[in-house]
Each structure stands twice: as structure tokens, then as C-alpha cells.
């Protein structure tokens, strides 16, 4: 059997196992994995913040969750677009 075929089959198997694992997680838990920092309670308990929020704190600017400062920055770090903000400044 050629090496490229073995590699292709291994890649297909790996993707299949990933899809199966995500499907089982969805079926068992009943919801998708919450990977958004602003809505994941466990990440908030650990003090994990989005990169934009950490950058603003380091620069002394307004944070993502304080409701002040940048328009469109309302606690959801996905709404904190650093490129949009720097263009308006």
C-alpha cells in the first residue's frame, strides 16, 4: 500500500474521531462547548480575559466589561474589535 494512501486514511480517521467526539459531547451535554470567554462561567471564575481586554488593561484604557469608553464594547469580547477602534482613534 502506498505511503500517501496510508497517510490519507489516517487523516480521514482522525477527522472522523474528532467529529464523533464532538457529536457525543453534544448528545451527552445537550449543548455545544462554550468556548467564548465572555459567556463561559468557568473561564470567568479562573480570571481568564480576552486578549483585547488584557491589552486595554495594560495600556490603561477602558476594559471590555466596564461599559465605558469604546462604542460596541459591551462585555462580549467578540464585540471588541481592536482594528476598528484604532481606525476611529
Amino acid at each position: 500500500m502506498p505511503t500517501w494512501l496510508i497517510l490519507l486514511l489516517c487523516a480521514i480517521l482522525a477527522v472522523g474521531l474528532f467529529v464523533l467526539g464532538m457529536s457525543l459531547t453534544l448528545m451527552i451535554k445537550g449543548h455545544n462547548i462554550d468556548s467564548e470567554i465572555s459567556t463561559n462561567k468557568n473561564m470567568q471564575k479562573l480570571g481568564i480575559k480576552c486578549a483585547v481586554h488584557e491589552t486595554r488593561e495594560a495600556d490603561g484604557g477602558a476594559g471590555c466589561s466596564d461599559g465605558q469608553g469604546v462604542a460596541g464594547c459591551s462585555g462580549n469580547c467578540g464585540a471588541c474589535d481592536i482594528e476598528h477602534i484604532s481606525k476611529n482613534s
Side-chain angles (χ1 to χ4, degrees), residues 10-78:
C10 288
I12 291 172
L13 178 67
V15 170
L17 288 174
F18 176 75
V19 170
L20 178 67
M22 294 298 286
S23 299
L24 288 175
T25 301
L26 181 60
M27 286 187 283
I28 292 170
K29 289 188 173 187
H31 59 83
N32 287 322
I33 295 172
D34 187 11
S35 61
E36 180 65 38
I37 295 171
S38 63
T39 58
N40 188 314
K41 300 297 180 196
N42 293 324
M43 287 187 195
Q44 291 173 356
K45 286 179 188 175
L46 293 172
I48 299 173
K49 301 174 185 171
C50 69
V52 173
H53 192 165
E54 288 180 350
T55 303
R56 290 211 178 105
E57 284 181 350
D59 291 343
C64 281
S65 60
D66 65 1
Q68 301 171 1
V70 183
C73 193
S74 60
N76 180 358
C77 289

